[in-house]
Amino acid sequence: MRCAGRPPDGIDLPFVDMDNRDGGRQAAEHLLLNNRKHIATIAGPPTLPAARDRLEGFRQTLRDAGVLDMPVAYGDFTHASGAHAMQWLLQRAPHLDAVFAASDVMAAGAMQTLRRAGRKVPDDVAVIGYDDAPVARHTSPTLTTVRQPVEEMATLAARLLLMTLGDGDNPKGNPVLPTELVVRESA
């Protein structure tokens, strides 16, 4: 057996995963390099390893750059949760100029809330999502996002499973695939 993605806490199974921590790092570096100073994030559920890693990679990069006060709202990877989290962030950090959402769908919800609040993306607030899901190319403006090689992960997980089934030998290690920032119009 081989999981696609790191399994939940307390479950010890071999897996193939994405470098979610590095994806968060890339998003933070991009915002910092574009002189964003008041940065917030919409994180995924803290019980999920991928969501925690994205937040930690993002947060650590900001800390290393001296940004210590970063508001965090949590969502569940849905459009509605991204919209609600963005509303919450605007109430608590009205001067924010950038937001990183742990999924493209939440980023799209955040962009809708920003538009309703009269904030322009990316002029007033830069937005970065995560996944490079089809929605990223259909938002207006198009969404800057962290691409995950989902097909490559699925192929590798299947290949490792077939190797295990074929000769009964479970390949050692848990491969972690690289992510890539895709810069579009939103940040």
Side-chain angles (χ1 to χ4, degrees):
M1 175 120 178
R2 178 85 50 174
C3 288
R6 203 167 84 214
D9 296 337
I11 298 175
D12 187 25
L13 289 172
F15 60 86
V16 177
D17 200 10
M18 306 293 179
D19 194 344
N20 287 294
R21 186 177 297 264
D22 190 61
R25 178 199 59 80
Q26 290 176 61
E29 283 184 355
H30 182 75
L31 294 173
L32 291 167
L33 288 170
N34 284 283
N35 296 314
R36 300 299 176 153
K37 306 275 187 238
H38 307 286
I39 302 170
T41 189
I42 301 171
T47 56
L48 297 179
R52 283 197 315 266
D53 287 349
R54 291 171 194 181
L55 176 59
E56 188 49 39
F58 189 75
R59 186 181 265 160
Q60 187 60 53
T61 302
L62 292 179
R63 271 192 223 118
D64 292 347
V67 178
L68 305 175
D69 183 30
M70 180 191 65
V72 179
Y74 291 89
D76 62 6
F77 297 127
T78 63
H79 188 276
S81 74
H84 178 75
M86 190 73 247
Q87 224 170 357
W88 186 89
L89 287 168
L90 285 171
Q91 289 170 355
R92 281 149 188 84
H95 302 297
L96 65 85
D97 63 4
V99 66
F100 167 57
S103 80
D104 291 344
V105 174
M106 288 195 304
M111 289 170 70
Q112 182 180 52
T113 296
L114 288 167
R115 194 170 17 263
R116 284 190 190 136
R119 307 287 295 272
K120 292 186 176 130
V121 176
D123 299 344
D124 300 329
V125 181
V127 178
I128 297 180
Y130 205 103
D131 294 326
D132 198 22
V135 69
R137 291 178 292 286
H138 299 290
T139 59
S140 180
T142 57
L143 185 62
T144 295
T145 184
V146 177
R147 176 182 295 147
Q148 302 187 83
V150 176
E151 293 85 5
E152 185 181 337
M153 180 175 79
T155 301
L156 181 56
R159 186 171 40 239
L160 292 171
L161 177 62
L162 291 173
M163 287 171 62
T164 302
L165 294 174
D167 60 18
D169 188 30
N170 200 2
K172 301 290 182 242
N174 296 309
V176 176
L177 302 176
T179 55
E180 170 193 4
L181 184 71
V182 178
V183 178
R184 294 193 179 100
E185 299 166 337
S186 69

